[in-house]
Every structure is written in structure tokens, then in C-alpha cells.
Amino acid sequence: MMIRQFTLAFAVTAVLSLSSIAVAQQPSDIDAVKKRAELNSAKADLEEARKKRDMAVAARWKDRETANQEREMFNEKYQESKEKVDALMSERARLFEDVRVAREDLAQVKLQAEKARAEFLSLAAGPERLETLSKFQEQGVQFKVAERVEIQNKVKKEMSLYRDDPLRIAKGVLDAARAELAFTREMNVEKAELVFGTAVAQGDRMRLGGLFAMQMANAVDINGLHPAALMLPVAGEKKRVYNWQENLTPDTKKDVAKVFANVNDSAFVMVPVDVLLSTELSSELANHQETTWKDKLRQFFKDGGIIMYPIVALFAIGLLIALWRFVWLMVRGFGGIANRRVLKALKAGDIDTARSLAAKTHGEVGKVLRTVLSKNYAGREGAEKALEELFSADVPKLESGLTWISVIAATAPLLGLLGTVMGMIELFDVITMHGTSDPKLLAGGISIALVTTEAGLIVAIPLQLIHTFLVNRADAVRSRMESAGLAVLNALWIKEK
């Protein structure tokens, strides 16, 4: 580019120089010819310079065209690469989403697997499953106790070691139950050394599972009978226990001897056994009966005697009065939202709106608002007199019946004390007849005598609490009445001033 500019400048300079020489030497023809020749030479140089310039321009345009083509090819390749990158990014985003969904599915599957595993492990039996089998050991005849306990201890050990294998634990429990059932079905007859009181004798012993056992000595007593004993349940401190009962009737001893005589020769033997175990409980447990709350209440009422009737009647009357007063106070205290709207209109100075709203109010506070706003009083004194008449008529109604609740709450303990005094008098009569040798008799009489006092307090305490609540409720309604009356009076006559 610099060469073309230099050539062009040189040509122009030459032409200008020739032109100046021709102009300076016009008078001379020779000089003119020389100048013309120089001019032609300059023109030729100029033409050659133009050709070089055109060639340079053409080369430059060719270079530019080549550059444009290369740029277009580059843009095409760039666009293709960009599209490929965009496609890869979309595929990457899709793969990330698939991975996220797969992770969520995997987490859900893991959660379900953990839940299924927990449910599976929950099927594993616990030590409580062996309680029934343990009861057989405690309630039945105490034979083979060590072997039976060892089987159950083995199952308990498996429960602690193989908690992840419920099937193995279930199999162990079933095996223990099968062993216990096999024990209950056993009939065992053996020769043994028997103990009768302080004497020891040789004889036979028979066991029918965990239900019954009997033994008989080979020798006979002075009556010609074989000493025999039956293992029967007797009274215990906490549970049934078995013991050998030797004081049997002669007929029972004969039946026992017949059993041992026929046990080896006969396929059918009649055994003197009480299969229902009717003597399994002690006298204390046998007399104990499960009672419902109705039975306990009926017995409580019966122990209290005749004084319980007025106490229950007072309680019923007190509850009815309390329910009546509660409902009445709730109804008469109703309408708080409407009353607040009336008071809001009065504070804003909108008397007409307050009067229209007051006509729709309810309850005692609404009555106070209607009393003042429904009439056009000449002055505040007239409105205050109307309110005084309203308060003198309605305030006693708020407290009506509450005094009776308080009286009943105070009377019930006195009736209970009266019943206690009557019970103590009867107790002293019993002491006079039977003395004080039986502490249970004294304790039972005193407890029955105190039943009425307990009943009186049961009646008095809730009624006293209810009375306090209702009194507070009535005071709250009266306070709202006074506040509403003062607010409406101030709003009307202070506004006028």
C-alpha cells in the first residue's frame, strides 16, 4: 500500500514538473519538443503507475475477497461448533435431570426398602411372646422346671442375637411352644422315693403333664390303705402354688391305689383329678372380683347409707341451677360485636347510625344502649335515671340463683359430716358388741363412716368452683353494662356541649 502511494505521488510530481517546464519555455520550439517528449514520457510513467495502482487495488480486493471467504468459512464452522455445543449442553442438562430423577427414585427405593426391612424386623417376636409359656410353668405342676426354663432362655438369647432373622426367632418360639405342649401331654409313671410328712417310703409317682400328679407308697398303714398324696394348688401370697396334699379321704386313697394297679394292665384308667383346677386360688383371690366403675359407684353409694340420697339430690340441684345460670349469662352477655359498633359510631359522632345499630343489639349491654339511644331525653339527668331503673331491675337478675349454688356447696360437707357421725355411732355399737380384737372390723367401719364426708366434699368442691366462675361471669356482664352506659352518656352530652 505504501509503494502504490509513493508511485502515484512521484507520477503527479513529474507531470507537474513537466508542465512547469513547458510553460517556462514556450517561446522556444525545441524546448517545446523536448518538453513534449518529456511530457509523453511522464504520461507513460503515469500510465504505468496507474496500471501498477490498478494491479495493487485488484490484488488488495482479491486479498479482501479471500479474507471474506475465509471469514465466512470460519463463521460457518463457528456456527456448526456452537450448535454442537448447544446440543451437548442440552444433552448434558437432560442427563443431569435423568440422574436427579434416578437419585430420587433410588432414595425412594431405599426408603421403601428400609420401611420393608423395619416391617420385616418388627415381625421378630419379643420376650413377651414367652409370657404365656412362662405362665404354664408358674401355674402348672412344678416338674421339669429346669429343662423348660433352659429352653425358654435359649429362645430369649436367640431373640437378642438374631434380631435380623425373624424366621429363626419364630422357629425358636414355636419349638419352645411345641416342647411345652409335649410336656403337658406327657404321662409319666416312675418308681421313686416318696416323702409323707417326716417319713420316707418307696412307691410310685404319676404325672399327667403339667396338670396333675399323685404318688402312693408301696407299704400300707394301720387301716390297710396305701399312704397317698395328690399335688393340688393351694393359696399363696402372690400366685398359685402346688403342694402335696396328704389328708385324703379313704375313697380317694382307694382310687389312687386302683389307678396305680391298672396303669400297666389297662388301656383306660380313671384318675381322680380336678381338670378345672377349681382350688387353684387362695381364699383371698377367690373372693376377689373385677368390678366396673358402675359397680364401684353403686357400692360407694351403698356404703354411704341414707345420707347419700340428700347429698346426691343437692348435687343434682346445684348442677341444674349452675347450668341454667351459665346458659342465661351466656345469652344475656351476647352481642359484643354489635355493641362495639354502636360505641364506635358514638365516638365518631354519628348519632343516627348509633341509634339504628342499637336497635339491632342483643343482651344486657344492648339493652343499656337501647335505653339511652331509643328516646330523646331532655338532658343527661333523665337518661341517667332511666339507666338507674334499668340497673336496679336487671343487675339482681344477673346474680339470681348464684346464692343457692353457694348454699348447696356449703351444705353438702355438713351432710357428709352428719353421715360420718352416724357411721361412727354405729361403729361404737359394733365395738360394744364385738370388742376391738379385730382391726379389720374397725378399719372397715371407719372407712364406711368417712364415705359420706368424701361424698360431701366431692359435691362441694366443684360447686364452689362453678359458683366462683358464674359470679365472675355476672360481674363481667355488669361491668360491661356500666362501661357502655357511661360511654353512651358521655358521647351524647359531651358532644352536645
Side-chain angles (χ1 to χ4, degrees):
M1 186 67 181
M2 293 294 292
I3 295 173
R4 288 196 297 266
Q5 291 178 357
F6 176 75
T7 305
L8 182 61
F10 176 76
V12 174
T13 304
V15 172
L16 292 177
S17 300
L18 292 176
S19 299
S20 62
I21 294 172
V23 174
Q25 296 182 1
Q26 282 180 1
S28 175
D29 293 337
I30 297 172
D31 295 334
V33 173
K34 292 179 178 180
K35 291 180 179 179
R36 188 176 294 113
E38 293 176 357
L39 181 60
N40 291 334
S41 178
K43 287 181 178 180
D45 295 336
L46 180 60
E47 187 66 24
E48 185 178 359
R50 286 179 178 175
K51 289 179 179 181
K52 290 181 179 180
R53 184 197 63 184
D54 293 338
M55 291 175 64
V57 171
R60 184 184 63 184
W61 280 106
K62 186 176 181 180
D63 294 339
R64 183 174 298 176
E65 184 178 0
T66 302
N68 290 336
Q69 291 177 356
E70 292 178 354
R71 186 180 296 107
E72 289 178 357
M73 292 177 63
F74 175 76
N75 289 336
E76 290 177 357
K77 292 181 179 180
Y78 172 75
Q79 190 65 28
E80 292 177 359
S81 301
K82 184 178 180 181
E83 290 177 355
K84 290 181 180 180
V85 171
D86 293 340
L88 292 175
M89 292 299 293
S90 300
E91 183 67 17
R92 178 175 175 270
R94 186 185 66 79
L95 292 176
F96 275 142
E97 182 66 20
D98 292 342
V99 170
R100 185 186 63 80
V101 173
R103 286 178 178 175
E104 291 180 356
D105 294 341
L106 180 60
Q108 188 68 22
V109 170
K110 287 183 178 179
L111 182 61
Q112 293 177 357
E114 290 296 334
K115 184 178 179 181
R117 177 177 175 80
E119 292 177 354
F120 177 71
L121 294 179
S122 66
L123 298 176
E128 66 276 1
R129 299 293 183 183
L130 299 175
E131 291 181 358
T132 303
L133 301 180
S134 300
K135 290 180 180 179
F136 289 156
Q137 298 177 5
E138 296 175 358
Q139 297 176 359
V141 177
Q142 288 84 5
F143 283 96
K144 292 187 176 181
V145 175
E147 295 85 347
R148 294 158 67 189
V149 171
E150 180 64 25
I151 293 173
Q152 295 191 20
N153 289 337
K154 181 180 178 181
V155 176
K156 291 180 180 179
K157 186 176 181 180
E158 289 183 351
M159 288 178 179
S160 60
L161 294 178
Y162 304 103
R163 296 184 59 85
D164 294 340
D165 193 356
L167 296 178
R168 179 167 182 172
I169 296 175
K171 183 177 181 300
V173 174
L174 292 177
D175 292 340
R178 191 180 296 111
E180 192 67 28
L181 289 175
F183 168 77
T184 59
R185 295 174 58 185
E186 288 181 358
M187 186 186 74
N188 185 22
V189 180
E190 60 181 0
K191 298 289 185 179
E193 193 175 69
L194 310 180
V195 177
F196 294 96
T198 57
V200 179
Q202 297 291 329
D204 298 324
R205 179 180 293 151
M206 173 184 287
R207 177 176 61 84
L208 301 179
L211 178 68
F212 173 79
M214 62 182 179
Q215 60 186 14
M216 185 189 70
N218 294 331
V220 296
D221 57 11
I222 58 176
N223 296 321
L225 299 176
H226 294 275
L230 300 179
M231 182 168 279
L232 297 176
V234 296
E237 294 182 359
K238 297 183 179 180
K239 59 183 179 181
R240 178 185 57 193
V241 295
Y242 281 80
N243 195 5
W244 289 106
Q245 302 295 323
E246 303 175 8
N247 299 323
L248 304 179
T249 62
D251 293 336
T252 302
K253 291 183 179 181
K254 291 179 182 180
D255 292 336
V256 172
K258 188 182 297 184
V259 169
F260 281 104
N262 297 331
V263 69
N264 295 323
D265 301 332
S266 176
F268 182 78
V269 179
M270 296 294 294
V271 179
V273 57
D274 181 9
V275 295
L276 298 179
L277 301 177
S278 58
T279 58
E280 65 179 333
L281 299 176
S282 64
S283 59
E284 180 180 357
L285 296 178
N287 294 329
H288 177 70
Q289 296 179 354
E290 293 292 334
T291 57
T292 63
W293 66 271
K294 293 182 179 179
D295 297 333
K296 293 179 180 178
L297 183 61
R298 190 179 296 110
Q299 184 64 33
F300 179 78
F301 190 88
K302 182 179 178 181
D303 293 339
I306 193 172
I307 297 298
M308 295 295 291
Y309 290 94
I311 292 176
V312 172
L314 288 177
F315 188 51
I317 294 171
L319 289 180
L320 289 176
I321 295 174
L323 180 63
W324 164 54
R325 295 311 302 169
F326 176 77
V327 173
W328 193 90
L329 289 173
M330 290 295 294
V331 172
R332 302 311 298 173
F334 181 75
I337 298 176
N339 297 331
R340 285 194 292 271
R341 290 176 180 174
V342 174
L343 296 176
K344 185 176 180 181
L346 290 174
K347 291 180 180 179
D350 193 353
I351 305 300
D352 296 332
T353 302
R355 287 176 176 173
S356 63
L357 292 174
K360 302 177 182 179
T361 56
H362 301 282
E364 294 296 326
V365 178
K367 186 183 291 187
V368 170
L369 297 175
R370 291 195 302 273
T371 300
V372 179
L373 294 175
S374 61
K375 297 180 181 180
N376 293 323
Y377 294 96
R380 178 165 181 160
E381 291 76 11
E384 289 179 350
K385 290 182 179 180
L387 286 178
E388 289 177 359
E389 293 178 358
L390 175 65
F391 274 85
S392 62
D394 288 352
V395 169
K397 294 180 181 179
L398 296 176
E399 300 175 353
S400 176
L402 300 181
T403 306
W404 283 105
I405 299 176
S406 178
V407 171
I408 292 173
T411 305
L414 296 178
L415 285 175
L417 183 60
L418 176 60
T420 300
V421 173
M422 295 172 61
M424 295 301 293
I425 292 174
E426 293 180 1
L427 178 61
F428 288 137
D429 293 338
V430 172
I431 292 174
T432 302
M433 295 177 60
H434 301 283
T436 59
S437 60
D438 191 356
K440 291 185 177 180
L441 181 63
L442 296 177
I446 294 173
S447 64
I448 293 176
L450 294 176
V451 166
T452 54
T453 300
E454 181 183 4
L457 293 175
I458 291 174
V459 172
I461 292 172
L463 287 180
Q464 188 62 43
L465 295 176
I466 292 172
H467 173 263
T468 303
F469 170 78
L470 294 177
V471 168
N472 293 335
R473 186 73 183 178
D475 292 339
V477 174
R478 184 176 66 253
S479 298
R480 291 203 301 270
M481 291 172 62
E482 294 173 354
S483 178
L486 185 59
V488 70
L489 290 175
N490 292 336
L492 289 176
W493 277 273
I494 293 177
K495 186 69 178 178
E496 291 181 357
K497 292 180 181 180

